[in-house]
Amino acid sequence: MSPRLNFSMILLALLGAALAEPRVTASGPAATGPRLWLWAWDRPEDLRFLKPEEAGVAFFVLGVRVRGDGLDLRPRTAPLRLPDGVRKLAVVRIDVVPAALKEARLEALVAAIEAKALVPGIDGLQLDFDATRSQRPLYRALITRLRKVLGRRMPISITALASWCMGDRWIRDLPVNGAVAMLFQMGPDAAEALTWLRRGRPLAGIAQAPVDWGLALDQPLPVAVPPGARTFVFSNHPWTVTSFRRAQRLVNP
């Protein structure tokens, strides 16, 4: 059997196992918490001015770069100060050297996330990975393995390219609790996405779960966030009371 054929069979087996995984409905803190969430990346952040009922915080906890010969792990190094009682999601950013995401790397990737990302006090885990079309079967397999390791006790959500929540619905049956449509830095898909939104067409993500909106302070959309939609907001600069109020106005114009 040729190596190419063998790897294709592995991919098909992993895809079949993933499709057999029971569907997970939206539940847990990420689904029932505040409408507004702030992304806090790996830089010093002091968010003690937040009131727990005003916003949750999705903070960078781990970066993983998958190479052909292993993983590069970059845990959070910048201080993060939060008020008591605020809802928290731990965000794992995954980057992959082209063609490096292989079945042999999945177990190591799951183990790294389990060991480094599940910090005390979090209400859920969020995966941030712009999977290419060829990487989708293995991303599905990764999420399925994480779900089996973590069980139902830990809500899992993903960030999603805008196209994944429009015409391309490949994420709809992933075993996760929700998806955040990334409606900024959309690149060549921006014009099509904006046309979709201006026409009032709905975003669709995980089955039976509403799509969360992902926005950036410096890239406002020409359309309003739908009433009641949960929104995650990214800032290129450390959060302040002023920038937080701007984020609030994105949700409640």
Side-chain angles (χ1 to χ4, degrees), residues 38 46-50 54 217 238-249:
L38 306 183
D46 187 348
L47 292 163
R48 288 176 292 181
F49 59 82
L50 288 178
E54 289 181 320
L217 279 184
W239 286 102
T240 64
V241 174
T242 300
S243 59
F244 170 60
R245 297 305 176 202
R246 288 176 57 201
Q248 286 183 308
R249 288 193 292 272

Side-chain angles (χ1 to χ4, degrees), residues 154-166:
M154 179 62 66
I156 301 173
S157 62
I158 62 170
T159 62
L161 298 180
S163 61
W164 299 355
C165 301
M166 296 179 185

Side-chain angles (χ1 to χ4, degrees), residues 219-232:
Q219 296 181 38
L221 287 175
V223 295
V225 175
R230 199 164 42 248
T231 305
F232 287 73

